[in-house]
Amino acid sequence: GISELLLTLAEAGIAWGISTNKPSYLTNPLMAHMAMDPAPTNVVCPDHVKQPKPHPEPLLLNCKQLGCRPAEVIYIGDHLRDIQAGRSAGMYTIAAAYGYIHPQEDPASWGASSIAHSGTELEQLISNALR
């Protein structure tokens, strides 16, 4: 559902970005290899800020670069620190409860605004929010 989500965002004229705790030297080659279409408008890594997630600084930098307010953002994360950062920044958060989640973790306990259990469900949640 991620390819469909990116197309939905592009059709709606919505820019998107990435905030990761992976340093640029790892993130940049990965992003080039993934060749997302459309590509993110910006990518914020911990070497771009003083405080990485769960501090909201990286997400606030994304907003500044995207030209939007945190309250206009839907932030998707696959770790508790992502949801903590998004909530601290004042964003609507979605816990991606699939992928690299440790079996003993419970995304329902992270306090996200919503939970998606698959890429398809994530695309549906965001498409519904855009209507």
Side-chain angles (χ1 to χ4, degrees):
I2 300 303
S3 295
E4 292 82 0
L5 173 58
L6 296 179
L7 288 174
T8 298
L9 294 176
E11 289 170 0
I14 296 173
W16 67 283
I18 293 175
S19 179
T20 180
N21 275 356
K22 291 165 190 59
S24 294
Y25 80 91
L26 295 174
T27 301
N28 294 338
L30 179 62
M31 295 305 302
H33 177 74
M34 292 179 72
M36 295 180 188
D37 186 30
T41 302
N42 69 350
V43 178
V44 174
C45 298
D47 38 306
H48 300 137
V49 294
K50 291 181 182 177
Q51 299 191 60
K53 297 179 292 180
H55 195 279
E57 183 184 2
L59 305 184
L60 297 174
L61 179 56
N62 279 108
C63 288
K64 182 178 179 182
Q65 293 175 353
L66 290 167
C68 65
R69 297 184 323 256
E72 299 173 314
V73 172
I74 298 173
Y75 184 67
I76 303 156
D78 64 358
H79 193 276
L80 172 61
R81 74 178 147 258
D82 296 321
I83 303 306
Q84 290 170 329
R87 290 177 59 208
S88 293
M91 299 174 174
Y92 185 91
T93 58
I94 298 177
Y98 58 94
Y100 296 107
I101 306 293
H102 191 278
Q104 296 174 347
E105 288 188 61
D106 178 17
S109 71
W110 298 348
S113 309
S114 294
I115 298 176
H117 295 92
S118 69
T120 301
E121 188 175 339
L122 178 62
E123 191 274 332
Q124 292 170 349
L125 280 170
I126 294 175
S127 290
N128 289 341
L130 296 175
R131 292 185 188 138

